[in-house]
Structures are given as C-alpha cells and as structure tokens.
Amino acid sequence: YLTKIKKRSYLIVGMSADYAPLEFHATVKGQDTIVGADVRVAQKIANDMGVKLQIKELGFDALIGAMNTGKVDMVISGMSETPEREKQVLFSEPYMYEEQAMVIRKADEKKYKGIMDFNGKT
Ligand code: ARG
C-alpha cells in the first residue's frame, strides 16, 4: 500500500471540514481552503512520506466507508475511537484529548456540588 501511495506521489486523507479548529473552511489569500490542526498533521505525514497531500472532503458519516472502499488512504477528522467504529477500521494512538463539561451559573455554586445534585432537576 505504501508503494502505491509513493507511486502515485500523493497521500489521500479524508476529512469532514466542518469541525473547527481541527478542519474547517477558511478564505486564505482570497481562496477557499481547508485548514486546521488536522490539516497540519496530515501535511506533516505526507511530508515525512515524501509525497504531496490531497484532502478529500467527505461527510463525516461517509469517512469510514471511503476508507474501506479505498477512496482515501486514511482519515484524519477529529474522529474518536468508538466500539462501533473499531469493528470497521483501525485507530492510531489518540493524538488529542478533549474534555467537555457542564456549565452552571456562578451564583449556583452552593446548590450543585456534584452530578447527583442534578438528580430530578432536569
Ligand atoms: N469526535 C467526534 C466523533 O468522532 C466528532 C467528530 C466530528 N468531526 C468532523 N470532522 N466533523 O464522533
């Protein structure tokens, strides 16, 4: 497979460019371009392989299918590893961790000390 990529001289990376700051559309020098942290990662991988980068923009739900039909060489699209996806493709070691939290008013600090304080209140 590596030989195939090197022979065609570009790496095809699938992305759904609707997920800033990882991959999103931006106007660069008057031109619509896909930019973001994942694009930088993809470019670095292509550079290390000594090939050019081709980004193939697909809907997020189409990415795994595109992998498995050989339309893209790899997917870099802020994709988290889930048991369902794990059955279909191989995931690298995570390169980014994100954490989301619930947000409440400062004034309610005493009211909610832990998750159980929300019990019956939503
Ligand atoms: N991390 C989430 C997931 O894997 C959302 C990823 C969305 N990525 C995107 N390029 N739209 O489901």
Side-chain angles (χ1 to χ4, degrees):
Y1 205 77
L2 258 180
T3 324
K4 190 174 136 189
I5 294 166
K6 293 214 161 148
K7 209 163 159 189
R8 86 155 100 80
S9 80
Y10 54 92
L11 173 73
I12 308 172
V13 176
M15 283 187 190
S16 172
D18 55 358
Y19 200 54
L22 298 188
E23 47 268 322
F24 58 102
H25 282 268
T27 308
V28 179
K29 292 180 197 149
Q31 277 227 33
D32 178 55
T33 320
I34 297 173
V35 296
D38 280 350
V39 179
R40 304 282 292 261
V41 172
Q43 186 62 62
K44 169 85 173 120
I45 293 169
N47 291 352
D48 287 355
M49 292 171 75
V51 296
K52 291 204 180 325
L53 172 66
Q54 182 185 307
I55 293 172
K56 192 164 211 126
E57 187 176 15
L58 294 162
F60 189 74
D61 294 335
L63 291 172
I64 287 183
M67 272 253 41
N68 285 337
T69 53
K71 272 201 197 155
V72 300
D73 299 316
M74 69 191 297
V75 166
I76 309 179
S77 198
M79 190 177 284
S80 317
E81 190 167 356
T82 65
E84 197 44 52
R85 291 170 186 163
E86 242 191 332
K87 284 182 209 152
Q88 300 167 270
V89 286
L90 269 178
F91 282 86
S92 71
E93 290 301 312
Y95 60 96
M96 185 180 230
Y97 294 89
E98 52 175 330
E99 268 186 67
Q100 272 83 234
M102 287 172 255
V103 180
I104 62 163
R105 278 175 216 98
K106 271 263 189 215
D108 289 337
E109 195 173 344
K110 300 226 157 57
K111 249 161 103 182
Y112 305 107
K113 280 294 172 198
I115 194 119
M116 287 315 286
D117 296 334
F118 287 96
N119 213 353
K121 290 185 181 147
T122 53

